[in-house]
Amino acid sequence: MHRPFGFDWGELVSIVTLIGVVMTYVKTSITNAAHDSNKAEFDRLGDSIAQLNQTMIKVNMVLDSLKADRESANRRLDKIEATTDRHDIQLARIEEHVMTNGDK
């Protein structure tokens, strides 16, 4: 039989096997590097999400505080409006009393 490229069949099998082993090693190295890179990215993403979670907790606390302040201000405003209405009614009664007594 012919000898391809001047090699014996055993030598060709050895060369092809060596090329296969080298390619498998390169593929495994690339896969491991990609896996490590992804793991590092996910770790950084996890840290960012944890920081975002802490920030959102603080934002919610501030919003709750603002809501409580607004409710308190609304209650005070309602009381002021009620007092103003009572004073307006009293003023109208006084004006009516003055007008009716002024005509006499």
Side-chain angles (χ1 to χ4, degrees):
M1 244 194 188
H2 295 285
R3 293 182 171 187
F5 304 109
F7 296 110
D8 285 333
W9 287 107
E11 292 171 340
L12 283 177
V13 170
S14 296
I15 291 172
V16 170
T17 303
L18 179 63
I19 291 172
V21 168
V22 169
M23 290 177 66
T24 302
Y25 176 76
V26 168
K27 179 184 176 262
T28 303
S29 296
I30 291 172
T31 301
N32 288 341
H35 178 72
D36 292 343
S37 176
N38 284 342
K39 187 175 187 302
E41 289 293 323
F42 277 116
D43 289 343
R44 279 186 266 160
L45 181 61
D47 292 342
S48 295
I49 289 173
Q51 289 175 353
L52 178 62
N53 191 27
Q54 292 298 320
T55 301
M56 291 307 296
I57 288 170
K58 291 176 185 177
V59 166
N60 284 335
M61 289 172 53
V62 169
L63 287 175
D64 289 342
S65 175
L66 288 172
K67 181 181 175 186
D69 290 346
R70 183 166 185 239
E71 288 172 354
S72 174
N74 284 342
R75 283 192 300 272
R76 286 190 350 238
L77 182 61
D78 289 342
K79 288 179 183 178
I80 290 170
E81 286 175 347
T83 302
T84 302
D85 290 342
R86 283 195 309 270
H87 288 176
D88 287 344
I89 292 169
Q90 288 176 351
L91 182 60
R93 286 181 184 159
I94 291 170
E95 287 176 349
E96 180 183 335
H97 181 70
V98 168
M99 295 291 262
T100 56
N101 286 339
D103 292 339
K104 293 183 181 178

